[in-house]
Amino acid sequence: MPLEPTASFPTLTVLDHPLVRHKVTLLRDRTTPTKQFKELVDEIAMLMAYEATRDLALDRVPVDTPLETTTGWAVRGKKLTLVPILRAGLGMVEGILRLMPSARVGHIGLYRDHTTLEPVDYYFKVPGDASERDFLLLDPMLATGGSAAAAVTSLKRAGATRIRFLCLVAAPEGVQRLARTHPDVSVLAACLDRELNEHGYILPGLGDAGDRLFGTR
Ligand code: PRP
Ligand code: URA
C-alpha cells in the first residue's frame, strides 16, 4: 500500500511495496555493480509507473474475441509524456516505456553546481502540445529540490499544467522545497530518507545516482 501524504509532506506519496523496499535496499548497497544498479533502477521505475498511472484516462474500444464482439478499454497513452532529468533520470525511462510504449519522451538537461548546489540548465525539449499532455518528470534523486523545481518551472513555461514527479530517493528538504515552489506537483517516491549532508547528498541515500548508473566517478 502506498503511504499517503501527511501534514508535513502534503504532496508526497511513498510507494511502500515489499518489492520496492527490497530493490531499494540493493540499490543502496555500495557493492552493487553498475549493471545491477541500472537493472534495479529500471525495475523500480516500472513498479512506480504502475502506481503513478492509476488514474490514467481510458477510452472505450470495441474488441473481437474469438467468440463475439465486446467493449474493452484503451489507455490514452499517446498523451502521456515522460521527461527524464539528465543524466540520472534516463535510467527510469525504459522500464516505464515497457508498460506504456506509446508515451512520448522529452528531455531536460540540468546539473547541480557542486559549490552552490543550484541547478544549471543546458537542454530542454518536450513535445509541442504540452498543454494537452500529462507529464511524468523522472529523476532518481530529490535532494535539495533545486533541480526538480527548476525542471517543473521549465515544463510550465512550455505550457504543461499536469505534472507528477517520480523519484527513487527523496530527502525531506527536497520534498518541502518542491511543495513550496510548485504545490500542484505531486511526488511519488520509493522512499523518504532522513536528511541531507553538508554537500547536499541524501543520507542514508545511495550515493551519486548518475555516477552509479553510468559507471563514472
Ligand atoms: C543529481 C540528481 C538530480 C539532482 C538532485 O544530478 O540526478 O538531478 O542531483 O539534486 P537536487 O535535488 O539538490 O537538485 P546531478 O546534478 O548530479 O547531475 P547528473 O545526473 O548529470 O550526474
Ligand atoms: N544527487 C545524487 O545523485 N545523490 C544525492 O544523494 C544527491 C543528489
Side-chain angles (χ1 to χ4, degrees):
M1 273 292 286
L3 294 182
E4 298 301 330
T6 62
S8 306
F9 303 105
T11 58
L12 176 69
T13 301
V14 176
L15 188 49
D16 189 29
H17 189 284
L19 285 176
V20 172
R21 294 170 84 170
H22 176 91
K23 289 175 192 294
V24 167
T25 304
L26 296 173
L27 269 190
R28 292 192 194 278
D29 187 335
R30 63 186 306 156
T31 67
T32 297
T34 298
K35 177 175 180 293
Q36 191 189 358
F37 191 91
K38 203 181 296 172
E39 289 165 358
L40 287 163
V41 170
D42 177 272
E43 290 166 1
I44 298 169
M46 187 165 70
L47 294 169
M48 295 185 75
Y50 183 76
E51 185 60 36
T53 52
R54 254 182 202 291
D55 56 357
L56 268 189
L58 294 169
D59 289 321
R60 277 187 180 278
V61 292
V63 56
D64 295 328
T65 79
L67 301 174
E68 62 178 36
T69 298
T70 185
T71 306
W73 299 95
V75 166
R76 279 186 219 156
K78 282 205 178 79
K79 290 292 177 193
L80 189 73
T81 306
L82 312 182
V83 182
I85 299 178
L86 307 178
R87 289 176 297 167
L90 286 173
M92 299 172 71
V93 172
E94 289 305 319
I96 302 178
L97 278 180
R98 277 204 296 285
L99 288 182
M100 288 162 290
S102 58
R104 303 296 160 86
V105 183
H107 294 87
I108 296 182
L110 285 175
Y111 69 87
R112 228 169 45 145
D113 181 280
H114 283 293
T115 317
T116 64
L117 296 185
E118 286 304 312
V120 180
D121 66 296
Y122 57 89
Y123 189 76
F124 183 85
K125 185 77 181 176
V126 297
D129 51 351
S131 61
E132 295 164 31
R133 294 183 164 272
D134 288 299
F135 286 89
L136 295 183
L137 183 60
L138 311 174
D139 194 323
M141 310 306 279
L142 179 61
T144 66
S147 303
V152 171
T153 300
S154 300
L155 280 178
K156 286 184 175 175
R157 202 180 297 129
T161 55
R162 295 186 301 277
I163 305 167
R164 275 180 220 186
F165 185 73
L166 266 62
C167 63
L168 305 191
V169 185
E173 295 90 332
V175 178
Q176 285 171 339
R177 177 169 172 179
L178 186 59
R180 270 195 315 277
T181 323
H182 298 291
D184 56 310
V185 173
S186 61
V187 175
L188 182 63
C191 56
L192 177 64
D193 272 12
R194 194 177 70 245
E195 61 183 347
L196 297 178
N197 71 9
E198 67 275 23
H199 304 295
Y201 276 84
I202 302 175
L203 298 175
L206 50 74
D208 188 306
D211 282 347
R212 294 198 64 189
L213 262 172
F214 297 108
T216 49
R217 201 168 292 265

